[in-house]
Amino acid sequence: MLRSEQKPFEEILGYLEGENMVFILGCDGCAQASQTGGLPQVLEMKGRLEREGKKITGYKVVDFLCQKALVASALRPLEDRVMESDSVLVLCCGVGIQTSAAMILKPVHPGCNTINLGGSRGEWRGSERCMECGDCLLDYTGGICPLAACSKGLRNGACGGASNGRCEVSPEKPCGWELIYARLKETGRLDMLKKFVPPKAWNKMRPTPEMLSTSVWALEQGDGSIQEGIE
Amino acid sequence: MSLREALDSGRFAITTEVGPLKGTDTSEILEVAEILSGKVDGVNVTDQQSAVMRLGSLATCAILVEKGLDPVFQITCRDRNRIALQSDLLSASVLGIKSVLVISGDFPTLGDHIDAKDVYDLDSEQLIWTINRMNEGYDLAGNELQGKTDLLIGAVVKPVSDTEESFELQLAMMEKKISVGARFFQTQAVYDVDAFEQFMRRAEQFRVPVLAGVIPLKSAGMARYMNKNVSGVFVPESMIADMAKAKDKTAKGLQVTARLINDLKDLCRGIHMMAIGWEKKVPEILELANLA
């Protein structure tokens, strides 16, 4: 699983500046287990944003937001409400934020940071990759992770080495920043390219011993039954 | 002659570059320094160009200072973290280096130590921001410096692109680099003057000096190679044909380059000549272009 934590509320409010109609997406997979994006957290976020004067156009907690197919089938009945919104706030890991951004033609804001577990195990992943950097940048980059999509992991823009949209380092893949440009253009957010992303706190990318200890940390936080052997 | 003075006075600026060799032999650099002395405003020293390990840019810049030239310390984000980068910038300052050019740097797999760990702790914009802070007397972490730097900060831009995305990204990043402290730009090599003019029409609004990159053509083969392999380099077919049919390739190459410089001259604030082996011919090219 991927472990996430909610971003500070002030940071989320900053992302939503100038936007009134917000749709909230949660995930009943790892985010539910992390208690960052399950139904209780989505409802709590709805209440907090409403107290700040935002109109919540709707919300949905999807089983496995990391799966594009599930995102699409879960949101289709709610399409009108999603599309009347100014933006979508996603309470999930970096993978779910990126699949949402890939499936929804609206600005998508990250509501969580993904914490590094020292390597991920065993989820079904699509093409989206989350580097578990602990300080999600997806708001700057249209929901495409620059650490994962750019070979050099550059945060402020392309290196200039691409040819015909292909990466100079690995020509078999597209230039991540050209993808980011296209996405920002598509969602009317090209101004984000002018925002300076300050130096990153890489120490947030180092897993704590607690995170390294097990991949089923969230389950172990429950009644402990998973630790019991079979006698 | 100094780069800062040229840019401040509005005089047409001329910079060129030298690439240190792999090893401790500096005789070639010294010879080139002698020839360039008094002929150019600044001399860039490349930093492990193409990710090939060589003598350092910092040490070579210090040699050029000693020889009376104004070096531009090229510094990439590829090999050093923020601690080493800032320390080298302090070192550059005490060694009399006045200008720095920030680049992200070719990826290690393109060079001769393909197993090296790439760093990119800071990207170009973040490094420019950091140097600007050091000029104000603080390090990246906000600690006060005992003696601040006074470095003229340069950055790079690729004026001609093969996709709309790349072209627009270059302009957006140019604007961002200026917003965090870049004070001049040197460009990727330009051959297509019309395309460069289109770029300058958009870039002019930023009011920051742009020095157009010029790589002298040595042969039609070289032009074709660059068209195929170097991002942002587009040599027009007519220029390649011109080179192909020339009997004296060297004379033709110098002549084509001088003409190119003349065509670019009115569009920008200077040129940056990357001679790639023809460093000693730079004064001759400048004479042909009436810039000597």
Side-chain angles (χ1 to χ4, degrees), chain A residues 161-207:
Chain A
S163 285
N164 292 311
R166 313 304 293 178
C167 172
E168 180 180 41
V169 180
S170 315
E172 64 279 7
K173 75 183 195 83
C175 166
W177 270 98
E178 293 199 23
L179 296 180
I180 290 169
Y181 175 86
R183 174 72 61 73
L184 288 172
K185 186 178 178 194
E186 213 175 32
T187 47
R189 301 184 80 206
L190 281 175
D191 271 4
M192 296 307 284
L193 289 175
K194 293 179 187 169
K195 292 207 173 176
F196 173 64
V197 180
K200 208 162 168 50
W202 297 107
N203 53 5
K204 290 186 182 162
M205 211 161 167
R206 200 168 298 119

Side-chain angles (χ1 to χ4, degrees), chain A residues 152 155 158 162 164 200 202, chain B residues 82 105 121 162 173 176 231:
Chain A
K152 296 177 182 175
R155 282 77 65 194
N164 292 311
K200 208 162 168 50
W202 297 107
Chain B
R82 62 190 76 182
D121 175 14
D162 45 19
M173 287 161 60
K176 187 167 5 183
S231 174

Side-chain angles (χ1 to χ4, degrees), chain A residues 101-158:
Chain A
M103 298 302 288
I104 305 168
L105 196 62
K106 280 280 166 188
V108 165
H109 303 293
C112 295
N113 290 322
T114 308
I115 297 172
N116 201 289
L117 296 172
S120 300
R121 289 147 286 201
E123 337 79 34
W124 291 357
R125 285 191 179 188
S127 55
E128 290 74 20
R129 292 284 185 276
C130 174
M131 308 297 282
E132 305 176 329
C133 75
D135 187 12
C136 193
L137 294 172
L138 289 166
D139 203 57
Y140 290 96
T141 54
I144 295 172
C145 177
L147 299 189
C150 166
S151 294
K152 296 177 182 175
L154 302 179
R155 282 77 65 194
N156 277 289

